Amino acid sequence: MAALTSQWPWTEAEKQWLKKVKADEAPPALFLHGCDVYRVRYFLDALRERAPGGCAFMDGAAVDGAEILERLQTADLFAMSSGLRLVVVREANQMKGWDEVFRGRQLQVGADHPWPGVLLLLLSDTLDGRRKHSQALKKIGLTLELNTPQSAELPAFVAALAAAKGLALESEAAALLALMAADGIAPVASEIEKLVLYLGDEKRPATRADVERVSAVAVTYDMAELVKAVVEGRRARAMILAGQLIKAPEDALGFVGFLTWCLKNPDKFRWQKRPDVARLYALADGLLELDTRLKSAGLDPRIPVEAFIIT
């Protein structure tokens, strides 16, 4: 995983946080918010690389502040090894009992650490300004926003992401890829992976024509059915469709890109069985491992996709 996250075109704010964590200088808490799931997942995995003590996930909608505080204060009992440990609270805005966690505790750099050796990571789509603790965390610089870059920034961001994969883009190719990022970075990252495979050993920049040849903007009905079956947990149906549709690495990468988009936009589908939030988060967790396995040279792409379906 280190190779993947080290290639990502980090912003200066992201770099500073990762530098602090690596140097054991991170404050006790960070509120990570943003609607670009792909960027959030990459940053979270970069933090996990720097936390040898392991990572515990909790759902803000299912636990309260007292339970989270207990986990923070006893995290060393569950540590995989010595070193920084992470306690990650998903859906942090839904958490009740914030006072139990933050009351009377100084979180600024230099203050006595309220839970030594542990970083509390709060995740949410937005930072709820109505909560006094959200305001306090923002005031002392313990928040980080990760959204899709602004339109004017996207071509440069896309070019940097491609360069991290060893791929140069002509300006028109970067501009076309940037147009695909309206719903997030994931579709663009998938297209870049396919461009790398398409060009192979050709040592030249990708052109607009190359992008148009490999683009998967138009998703087939069968691929949409595969994604729906996976999300709904209809494993038998998903395995049949995967056997029919996943023939090459670009098919598997297209599946990853479309499933990522689906997880971000669940309301745009007509479900037979509407997935709950826990199911969506579990799939998001598994997607990064799937993405990593698909990049392993020589591996039949159906193997990791089928393993993802049945887990």
Side-chain angles (χ1 to χ4, degrees):
M1 193 63 62
L4 293 177
T5 57
S6 64
Q7 294 173 342
W8 187 260
W10 303 109
T11 65
E12 285 305 314
E14 291 169 322
K15 288 178 182 178
Q16 289 302 314
W17 264 98
L18 295 175
K19 183 178 179 180
K20 289 177 183 178
V21 170
K22 186 175 183 179
D24 293 327
E25 298 174 353
L30 170 63
F31 196 116
L32 184 62
H33 61 104
C35 58
D36 195 316
V37 175
Y38 202 78
R39 290 190 67 189
V40 171
R41 296 304 307 175
Y42 259 75
F43 186 76
L44 175 57
D45 283 299
L47 289 178
R48 294 176 69 177
E49 290 171 5
R50 293 158 175 79
C55 179
F57 286 93
M58 306 181 78
D59 289 318
V63 298
D64 59 22
E67 293 173 274
I68 292 170
L69 180 60
E70 180 181 5
R71 176 54 66 94
L72 290 168
Q73 295 175 334
T74 61
D76 58 325
L77 300 178
F78 305 95
M80 298 170 58
S81 62
S82 60
L84 180 69
R85 298 173 295 284
L86 299 180
V87 173
V88 181
V89 181
R90 302 167 171 139
E91 299 182 272
N93 281 336
Q94 297 189 37
M95 186 179 81
K96 296 180 180 179
W98 282 57
D99 281 348
E100 294 289 337
V101 179
F102 296 109
R103 184 173 51 227
R105 295 181 172 86
Q106 298 297 315
L107 303 181
Q108 297 93 331
V109 176
D112 290 338
H113 203 303
W115 33 80
V118 183
L119 172 60
L120 170 61
L121 191 62
L122 303 163
L123 302 182
S124 185
D125 291 346
T126 59
L127 184 69
D128 190 347
R130 297 170 298 178
R131 292 180 178 269
K132 64 180 181 181
H133 297 299
S134 299
Q135 298 173 7
L137 289 170
K138 185 175 183 178
K139 185 176 181 180
I140 59 178
L142 300 186
T143 64
L144 181 62
E145 184 175 11
L146 295 179
N147 287 319
T148 303
Q150 298 297 314
S151 298
E153 303 168 339
L154 273 172
F157 186 91
V158 167
L161 182 57
K165 303 293 183 182
L167 176 68
L169 297 174
E170 290 189 354
S171 59
E172 288 190 357
L176 180 57
L177 286 169
L179 292 176
M180 301 178 188
D183 291 319
I185 297 300
V188 178
S190 178
E191 296 303 315
I192 288 173
E193 293 287 351
K194 286 186 286 183
L195 281 167
V196 171
L197 292 171
Y198 175 74
L199 291 175
D201 294 331
E202 292 187 53
K203 303 299 181 182
R204 64 174 178 84
T207 66
R208 181 186 180 94
D210 294 326
V211 175
E212 291 172 342
R213 289 189 188 101
V214 304
S215 176
V217 173
V219 178
T220 67
Y221 171 82
D222 286 339
M223 182 61 77
E225 285 298 298
L226 169 59
V227 167
K228 287 173 64 176
V230 169
V231 174
E232 292 173 348
R234 294 183 285 125
R235 292 183 177 86
R237 172 66 173 162
M239 291 291 283
I240 292 172
L241 288 170
Q244 296 172 348
L245 299 175
I246 308 300
K247 304 295 186 182
E250 54 265 34
D251 299 327
L253 291 170
F255 165 74
V256 170
F258 187 47
L259 179 54
T260 300
W261 181 88
C262 173
L263 295 179
K264 288 186 59 179
N265 302 274
D267 293 332
K268 295 187 178 181
F269 279 79
R270 182 175 297 173
W271 304 104
Q272 290 186 22
K273 177 184 176 184
R274 185 173 179 81
D276 57 25
V277 173
R279 173 64 177 165
L280 297 180
Y281 272 118
L283 288 169
D285 286 341
L287 266 180
L288 192 65
E289 180 180 354
L290 172 58
D291 186 63
T292 303
R293 295 189 65 193
L294 287 172
K295 294 167 185 170
S296 300
L299 185 65
D300 184 335
R302 286 175 296 187
I303 295 175
V305 171
E306 289 175 351
F308 175 80
I309 290 171
I310 64 177
T311 54

